Amino acid sequence: MSILRITGGRRLEGTLRVHGAKNSVLPIMAASILARGETIIHNCPDLADVNAAIKILRHLGCSVDKSNDRVIINSAQMTRSDIPHELMKEMRSSVIFLGAILARCGTAALSMPGGCELGPRPVDLHMMALREMGAKITDEGGSILCAANELLGCRINFPIPSVGATENAMLAATACQGTTIITNAACEPEIWDIQRYLRTIGVKVTGAGTSTIIVEGGEISANTEHHVIPDRIVAATYLSCAAASSGKIEITNVIPRHITTVTNALSEMGCRLKIYEDAIGIDATGKLTAIKPVITRPYPGFPTDAQPPLMAASLKASGTTVFIESIFENRYRHIGELLRMGADIKTEGKVAMVTGVSKLFGVPVESTDLRGGAALCVAALGAEGITDVSGLHHIDRGYDGFEAALAAIGADIVRVD
Ligand code: EPZ
């Protein structure tokens, strides 16, 4: 079992490039099924979740070639419309393939995506959207079976904004006769990136990034290329690493407006931020202080995925910062491990109260989930002594070359097999 061995106390200094967005490239890989041709994706991160999506595409009969940050998918010869359990269980967000498979094949069969470390992760809103379009869905016995002789454009109003359900609705809507109007849609930048991709294959879609998305159904057949937007959560994580280590770094290939809530929080904490067109400078060499409550919300609110890294950056900020996690039920699992490092955190339901301590101590810790694992690494950078972080399969799902990136700017971090 590999671990990341981090010796804290080193100030990070230098420049880091942010890689492509996991939560953008995964739905776009699913959407490539709709193109019925060749899709070349640039700026694709090398992640376990991307490799899981490649396995699914190959299982479906698509050809996929990956080299460095480029993935070439040809979905012309797609032969299957099912995703078996052993592939679904590798990545629960594989449910994002449902809408595209149904649109392409008229049928889709997936094993029910289970919950994950963050909680039950229901898919009822995904099902609601597809049923509105006319799909017949049976979700029993641990599998989801979808069939639709025809899909009809309709109005879909989500009771709450769901990223995945919005994405599935958009992709399925490309095969609907007529117009589909999606209201209370999620507004995340990754959904705007999907719209950018869909337009390159001839789909008439507008509104992504707002709460109302309109899709005109129609025949698609295209070859295309797409450049994935930067990963805003990786950017937030790198900035949190600088804050935790009293460092001074610059991150490049980032879209600053995608993480305004995070840079505002770090600035309030006492970091000096410089915002450029596609870069952010952070100087955290001064004293950090607690900030007003951090409440996670759907975009453009504070991103739930940035809550664990920012919490780790606040552990030595003087005063008390209140975090309220309003998206996922079980997103404080990293707190137990932070407490073992000497953090002062009290939790009650969705609320976590972080009171700054003067020191954190390196101890062996176990990653509990993707962003929780990243948070442990952030905390370790500002701890005294050695922190061994295990459970790297979580971190490898969402961070490409994490330890190499941090080591390149001065962190004492090494992967030990
Ligand atoms: C996406 O998950 C992201 N994953 C998550 O990132 C991210 O945390 C989340 O959006 C919120 O921004 C990918 O894009 C692959 P949701 P998703 O549907 O689509 C409830 C990471 O670390 N809900 O927006 O699954 C749900 O329980 C991951 O990169 C239903 O009730 O999230 C949650 O409370 C973690 N029924 C809320 O909606 C449904 O059918 C928002 O979830 C679907 C969701």
Side-chain angles (χ1 to χ4, degrees):
M1 176 187 72
S2 301
I3 59 154
L4 285 180
R5 177 154 293 162
I6 301 168
T7 304
R10 305 276 290 269
R11 182 169 290 194
L12 300 189
E13 290 181 350
T15 300
L16 274 186
R17 183 183 186 280
V18 176
H19 61 65
K22 167 178 85 78
N23 293 348
S24 180
V25 74
L26 293 178
I28 287 171
M29 291 173 79
S32 72
I33 289 171
L34 303 170
R36 296 172 173 80
E38 182 179 82
T39 291
I40 303 174
I41 300 174
H42 301 282
N43 197 33
C44 177
D46 183 15
L47 303 171
D49 275 6
V50 167
N51 295 333
I54 289 173
K55 282 186 196 170
I56 290 172
L57 286 168
R58 285 176 175 154
H59 168 82
L60 294 173
C62 304
S63 69
V64 186
D65 291 305
K66 179 166 177 284
S67 64
N68 300 323
D69 74 345
R70 191 183 64 180
V71 173
I72 302 175
I73 301 165
N74 194 314
S75 62
Q77 304 305 323
M78 186 173 166
T79 54
R80 302 178 68 117
S81 61
D82 70 301
I83 303 180
H85 180 63
E86 64 267 15
L87 291 180
M88 280 299 290
K89 73 176 191 303
E90 270 196 55
M91 180 178 68
R92 70 151 304 282
S93 53
S94 307
V95 69
I96 184 52
F97 278 86
L98 180 58
I101 295 173
L102 183 64
R104 171 74 184 267
C105 307
T107 62
L110 278 66
S111 80
M112 183 61 85
C116 75
E117 306 80 11
L118 304 183
R121 306 297 292 275
V123 291
D124 56 312
L125 300 180
H126 300 243
M127 301 304 122
M128 177 205 83
L130 301 182
R131 284 188 172 112
E132 285 285 330
M133 296 174 183
K136 299 285 176 281
I137 302 178
T138 54
D139 45 357
E140 58 194 30
S143 63
I144 301 172
L145 304 175
C146 287
N149 296 328
E150 61 177 3
L151 292 170
L152 298 176
C154 57
R155 288 187 73 92
I156 295 166
N157 180 54
F158 286 116
I160 56 170
S162 156
V163 171
T166 299
E167 293 167 347
N168 259 328
M170 281 173 82
L171 301 189
T174 61
C176 285
Q177 290 177 37
T179 304
T180 299
I181 300 172
I182 305 167
T183 52
N184 202 19
C187 304
E188 271 70 3
E190 292 77 24
I191 292 176
W192 174 81
D193 205 18
I194 294 169
Q195 173 175 281
R196 253 185 351 124
Y197 169 77
L198 290 176
R199 284 180 172 171
T200 68
I201 60 171
V203 177
K204 293 186 180 62
V205 49
T206 56
T210 75
S211 58
T212 300
I213 299 173
I214 299 175
V215 182
E216 298 292 339
E219 192 55 40
I220 302 169
S221 174
N223 299 317
T224 189
E225 297 198 46
H226 184 80
H227 194 99
V228 174
I229 59 171
D231 193 311
R232 59 195 170 98
I233 306 304
V234 169
T237 306
Y238 286 163
L239 293 174
S240 299
C241 289
S245 67
S246 306
K248 183 177 180 182
I249 72 170
E250 183 170 292
I251 62 171
T252 62
N253 187 49
V254 61
I255 301 174
R257 70 174 183 281
H258 287 172
I259 50 169
T260 308
T261 52
V262 177
T263 51
N264 287 347
L266 288 166
S267 179
E268 189 188 342
M269 204 181 278
C271 302
R272 285 178 295 287
L273 277 294
K274 283 186 181 160
I275 309 295
Y276 305 98
E277 187 182 339
D278 61 356
I280 297 173
I282 181 171
D283 178 346
T285 51
K287 187 162 173 41
L288 300 185
T289 57
I291 61 176
K292 63 179 180 298
V294 177
I295 306 170
T296 66
R297 290 200 176 97
Y299 195 88
F302 190 93
T304 175
D305 297 342
Q307 172 263 104
L310 186 82
M311 181 184 287
S314 72
L315 297 177
K316 295 196 291 182
S318 59
T320 298
T321 299
V322 174
F323 288 80
I324 300 174
E325 173 54 55
S326 60
I327 303 292
F328 289 116
E329 297 174 8
N330 200 13
R331 192 156 218 174
Y332 285 152
R333 300 178 71 230
H334 53 286
I335 288 177
E337 297 298 273
L338 293 176
L339 293 174
R340 295 181 55 244
M341 297 177 72
D344 178 354
I345 309 172
K346 293 177 180 55
T347 56
E348 179 67 41
K350 292 179 180 289
V351 179
M353 291 180 63
V354 178
T355 301
V357 294
S358 55
K359 282 184 185 174
L360 293 169
F361 303 96
V363 295
V365 290
E366 170 87 18
S367 300
T368 53
D369 55 77
L370 166 54
R371 307 301 175 186
L376 299 179
C377 296
V378 171
L381 293 169
E384 288 196 358
I386 294 173
T387 303
D388 284 348
V389 182
S390 56
L392 300 191
H393 61 285
H394 290 298
I395 296 174
D396 292 343
R397 284 189 46 227
Y399 293 90
D400 179 358
F402 192 50
E403 66 269 21
L406 295 178
I409 57 169
D412 184 344
I413 179 171
V414 62
R415 187 175 292 236
V416 178
D417 291 321

